[in-house]
Amino acid sequence: MTFMKKTVSAGLVALSVAGALAATAPAAEARDHHHHGDDVLIGAAAGLAGGLIGGAIVSGSQRPVYVEPQYEYAPPPPPPRVVYRPAYYEPAPPPPRCHFEWVENEYGEAYRARVCY
């Protein structure tokens, strides 16, 4: 129940109780009430009945509590089987044999070039 619904419900209950008390209240009389002891019991019974009714209304308006279920998980799968197979590798080719030489281009400019064989 949202905050607004709770507030409106509480306000309506308070107004209902206040209206019922105002409607059933007798007119003010200036006389002695010492011989009417059963009025207290009637008031207590009315208060008890009102409390029971109000409590039932309030307790019925609450949402049910949801408890997250506990799941039972399956055990993890076994690790994969490792199979080694023979691997044959060719030896790496020998590194090239290289050296640098001075070479001239067609304009007569000299530069170093890498010569491999």
Side-chain angles (χ1 to χ4, degrees), residues 21-105:
L21 289 176
T24 59
E29 295 178 3
R31 61 184 180 128
D32 191 14
H33 288 285
H34 68 278
H35 292 291
H36 301 286
D38 57 343
D39 290 344
V40 174
L41 293 177
I42 293 173
L48 182 63
L52 288 174
I53 292 170
I57 291 172
V58 170
S59 69
S61 65
Q62 294 178 352
R63 282 191 233 154
V65 177
Y66 176 74
V67 177
E68 187 174 332
Q70 296 292 325
Y71 294 109
E72 210 172 293
Y73 295 105
R81 196 168 58 114
V82 179
V83 177
Y84 294 103
R85 57 191 161 120
Y88 300 102
Y89 297 102
E90 290 183 17
R97 298 177 56 160
C98 300
H99 66 279
F100 290 95
E101 292 182 359
W102 284 99
V103 182
E104 288 185 2
N105 64 6

